[in-house]
Amino acid sequence: MSADLSPIDTAKFVAAKRASAFIESGMKVGLGTGSTAAWLVQCLGERVRNEGLSIKGVPTSSRTAELARNVGIDVISLDEARWLDITIDGADEFDGELNLIKGGGGALLQEKIVATASDRMVVIADPSKHVQTLGAFPLPVEVIPFGWQTTKALLEETITALDVLGDQITLRMNGDRAYVTDEGNHILDLHLKHIGNARQLALVLNQIPGVVENGLFIDICDIVVVGHGDGRVEIQDINEGTTEEDRIEFAETINLFSDLGE
């Protein structure tokens, strides 16, 4: 670990390192997308190289697939795997019931499909992702390109009747062009500020024509592993109703991403 690593990156690393301990040889593992999930993929690659860990990884984006192959993880498709032992991914927000907002990295559709095709979903995060009520982070909604402005208007009309505080909706951009997901869709970000009833909102959004999926993950996450900048880790298991603490020790001179130029 580089001595120059920021406290937030240290928190992401120790969460990923602790979560990697859930993985055993022979498992089929869903691999998330985003900066925190990238640490997890690298930690698993280290175990593949140093311990002979043998797993099948199902990535949730083309970016994760490339990273996983680079670190030596055997990558397969979800169709090949059919069902997974576990998925480990990051989150943009999580609340006390382990409901999530995901999709900041643009891969919410594949992430939700992979997570729901798993025996367990583990989220790795830093403390800033823990909120009392979801909604401060803009809620991503994946929509098909055809008629996306009509879909946006329908979303604007719908959310006015729901328990939210904000009503701004923006098309996610990639430079001067609309962002395009791995499935060729666009993302509308809903700036709701506060989501009073996440379960209701998730159901309502998916009824709107043109909406493919939304970034609310309700009753999907089983465990959250929260890393801290000092190496402490908290593990909350919603099914067992337990919270435990651990600490990850690491050498200051090791940089897990040095060989990948990240």
Side-chain angles (χ1 to χ4, degrees):
M1 182 67 59
S2 168
D4 296 329
L5 203 63
S6 68
I8 196 72
D9 281 335
T10 299
K12 292 177 180 181
F13 165 72
V14 296
K17 185 75 171 177
R18 177 61 178 83
S20 71
F22 289 114
I23 308 304
E24 301 173 1
S25 280
M27 282 187 169
K28 291 178 286 187
V29 182
L31 304 173
T33 295
S35 60
T36 310
W39 286 103
L40 180 277
V41 173
Q42 182 62 27
C43 288
L44 290 177
E46 184 187 38
R47 291 190 61 196
V48 168
R49 295 189 300 273
N50 297 342
E51 303 174 19
L53 180 72
S54 177
I55 60 173
K56 304 290 186 183
V58 175
T60 55
S61 67
S62 56
R63 302 192 304 280
T64 297
E66 180 181 8
L67 177 59
R69 292 189 182 100
N70 286 344
V71 301
I73 296 173
D74 188 7
V75 172
I76 62 174
S77 69
L78 183 58
D79 287 335
E80 292 174 290
R82 298 182 65 84
W83 194 260
L84 306 177
D85 297 288
I86 190 171
T87 288
I88 303 180
D89 203 349
D92 299 303
E93 286 185 347
F94 70 92
D95 66 15
E97 296 181 349
L98 304 196
N99 294 316
L100 320 171
I101 286 182
K102 288 182 52 57
L108 68 98
L109 179 57
Q110 288 191 24
E111 288 173 336
K112 188 174 282 191
I113 292 171
V114 168
T116 54
S118 306
D119 287 337
R120 287 190 298 171
M121 182 191 188
V122 176
V123 160
I124 47 180
D126 62 80
S128 70
K129 303 300 191 296
H130 187 194
V131 297
Q132 293 299 313
T133 305
L134 299 176
F137 190 91
L139 174 65
V141 176
E142 186 159 340
V143 301
I144 66 170
F146 176 79
W148 72 264
Q149 294 192 57
T150 299
T151 303
K152 178 175 178 285
L154 290 170
L155 285 165
E156 289 170 338
E157 181 181 353
T158 298
I159 62 176
T160 60
L162 298 174
D163 187 7
V164 298
L165 293 181
D167 58 6
Q168 182 185 13
I169 299 177
T170 56
L171 176 67
R172 187 175 300 184
M173 303 297 291
N174 182 16
D176 59 355
R177 297 185 178 183
Y179 179 87
V180 178
T181 70
D182 280 355
E183 290 75 34
N185 297 318
H186 295 329
I187 289 181
L188 295 173
D189 288 310
L190 280 55
H191 302 260
L192 304 177
K193 301 181 181 178
H194 170 98
I195 298 173
N197 189 331
R199 188 182 307 275
Q200 178 194 43
L201 179 62
L203 293 172
V204 169
L205 292 178
N206 282 7
Q207 301 305 309
I208 296 175
V211 170
V212 180
E213 188 54 83
N214 69 82
L216 286 167
F217 283 50
I218 309 299
D219 298 333
I220 295 176
C221 177
D222 299 288
I223 297 172
V224 167
V225 180
V226 179
H228 295 264
D230 61 359
R232 290 181 300 114
V233 180
E234 297 173 76
I235 305 101
Q236 181 181 350
D237 187 321
I238 194 70
N239 299 315
E240 298 294 331
T242 59
T243 300
E244 61 179 273
E245 287 198 8
D246 200 352
R247 179 174 290 275
I248 302 298
E249 303 294 341
F250 49 84
E252 289 292 338
T253 55
I254 297 174
N255 186 344
L256 291 180
F257 279 175
S258 61
D259 57 336
L260 297 179
E262 297 213 18

